[in-house]
Amino acid sequence: MIIVIRPHTPADKVEEVIREVAALGYLPNPIRGEYQTVVAAIGDEVTHASLESLTALPQVERVIRVQKRYKLASRESHPHPTIIDAGGVRIGGDEIVLMAGPCSVESEEQLMATAHAVKAAGATILRGGAYKPRTSPYEFQGLGPEGLRLLAAARKETGLRIITEVLSERDVETVAGTADILQLGARNSQNFQLLIACARSGKPILLKRGMSMRIEEWLLAAEYLLAHGNPNVILCERGIRTFENYTRNTLDLAAVAIAKQETHLPVVVDPSQGCGRADLVKVLCRGAVAVGADGLLIEVHPNPAEALSDGQQQLDPPSFASLVADLGPYLSAAGRVLPAQR
Ligand code: PEP
Ligand code: MN
């Protein structure tokens, strides 16, 4: 870290800062300019005490961090992209993974119809919430264990791998018993105890960006999973809350490009929560592919008008099939392929 001392600070006050830096476990290296002194503090910023507290001293103007706060997630620590194996589906290589299915698992008929349709169109992973985080307590909360049972049956019947959300520490073991990937939702991505419990399950985890999370906070949440021994972390951009109301959220594609630059982790885009409008999902998928996404998480329902959650943003099966078919030139331009095209 670099400690910038205010101009015209007397020598004894500069010495005081140098002593504090040493006391906090860093090697102080003062650089004395004509008007101002800066102290380079050498040490591991990730594990040592933060020197930001030194701004409490009146002679300290500011403290500048040099190292990133996330270490295991950073590209510097791991220059090659991480490829995750989720029950045999590889995420993070040159293939773009399609994860598709209903917002909520509603019934056997609904789930099976969707599973067959998304598989036929090229998806390799079936999404579907058994436990749903709903804004109102009066809205459909998900089928719970029965939803997990239906997801397991859909996997058995179609061979699709399963991604489903875990809402509480209490359910981690049960959900991990069925899921090939645990989904940590936008409302829970800074629920650190839940993150730790999910990390310990050993299952691959898709970590949504919280709706008011800065990129650094999102990457630090991923760092929690990595620091608790789970290397199989997938980041997912799903839109952030802004002042705009033509869309439900503002899909932040710059964050996808930044996450790809900053980390070695695969990044998936969820355009369904990202804009909340079925009519925009197709074009946002094209944008996601262009900025380097490794996968798409798309809501598909056999009859969106009757969906028990998020009907306005779910695609019907023919629209999903046409989305995938029309993605071809965009995939080629980005140098990517769909697993089924091999
Ligand atoms: C979902 O995928 O249906 C969902 C609830 O997502 P998010 O956590 O991004 O809102
Ligand atoms: Mn949804």
Side-chain angles (χ1 to χ4, degrees), residues 47-61:
T47 50
H48 279 44
S50 167
L51 296 183
E52 267 138 21
S53 57
L54 289 180
T55 45
L57 297 173
Q59 68 272 42
V60 172
E61 190 175 283

Side-chain angles (χ1 to χ4, degrees), residues 42-99:
I42 298 158
D44 184 354
E45 293 172 18
V46 177
T47 50
H48 279 44
S50 167
L51 296 183
E52 267 138 21
S53 57
L54 289 180
T55 45
L57 297 173
Q59 68 272 42
V60 172
E61 190 175 283
R62 66 205 148 102
V63 174
I64 302 162
R65 191 177 271 284
V66 177
Q67 291 175 7
K68 302 271 166 63
R69 291 169 77 194
Y70 40 88
K71 189 161 136 184
L72 301 171
S74 76
R75 248 207 205 260
E76 287 95 72
S77 76
H78 194 294
H80 299 294
T82 286
I83 298 179
I84 288 166
D85 184 322
V89 174
R90 284 157 57 86
I91 308 167
D94 58 0
E95 295 173 336
I96 295 236
V97 175
L98 299 180
M99 308 177 178

Side-chain angles (χ1 to χ4, degrees), residues 57 138 299 316:
L57 297 173
Y138 306 118
E299 288 188 345
D316 59 15

Side-chain angles (χ1 to χ4, degrees), residues 145-300:
E146 170 63 5
L148 294 177
R149 192 189 67 73
L150 294 176
L151 286 165
R155 175 176 46 206
K156 194 154 178 232
E157 194 167 307
T158 61
L160 291 168
R161 305 291 108 182
I162 302 296
I163 178 168
T164 194
E165 180 165 355
V166 56
L167 282 186
S168 120
E169 277 173 75
R170 198 188 49 217
D171 301 326
V172 172
E173 223 180 291
T174 317
V175 177
T178 298
D180 296 291
I181 304 174
L182 297 177
Q183 176 173 324
L184 263 165
R187 290 155 192 81
N188 265 318
S189 33
Q190 283 185 304
N191 179 342
F192 300 116
Q193 295 310 315
L194 178 60
L195 264 62
I196 292 168
C198 287
R200 290 193 177 137
S201 75
K203 286 280 173 177
I205 298 168
L206 178 134
L207 176 67
K208 297 256 193 144
R209 180 180 180 192
M211 51 188 106
S212 62
M213 255 170 141
R214 292 205 165 132
I215 294 169
E216 187 188 36
E217 292 167 328
W218 182 32
L219 303 186
L220 283 168
E223 188 78 11
Y224 260 89
L225 301 172
L226 299 168
H228 283 86
N230 194 327
N232 299 313
V233 178
I234 304 157
L235 295 166
C236 179
E237 161 61 31
R238 49 78 71 205
I240 50 174
R241 171 81 44 99
T242 70
F243 50 81
E244 183 50 65
N245 62 6
Y246 271 43
T247 49
R248 176 183 182 186
N249 291 296
T250 297
L251 187 69
D252 183 3
L253 290 181
V256 177
I258 291 169
K260 293 291 296 177
Q261 272 173 23
E262 287 289 312
T263 81
H264 52 89
L265 302 172
V267 183
V268 163
V269 169
D270 174 349
S272 306
Q273 328 300 321
C275 69
R277 289 173 48 161
D279 64 333
L280 295 182
V281 169
K282 186 181 208 166
V283 291
L284 291 176
C285 286
R286 295 171 174 176
V289 167
V291 294
D294 298 295
L296 301 166
L297 181 67
I298 301 171
E299 288 188 345
V300 180

Side-chain angles (χ1 to χ4, degrees), residues 103 127 132 273 299 310 313:
C103 176
R127 66 147 288 151
K132 292 304 299 177
Q273 328 300 321
E299 288 188 345
D310 287 351
Q313 68 196 30

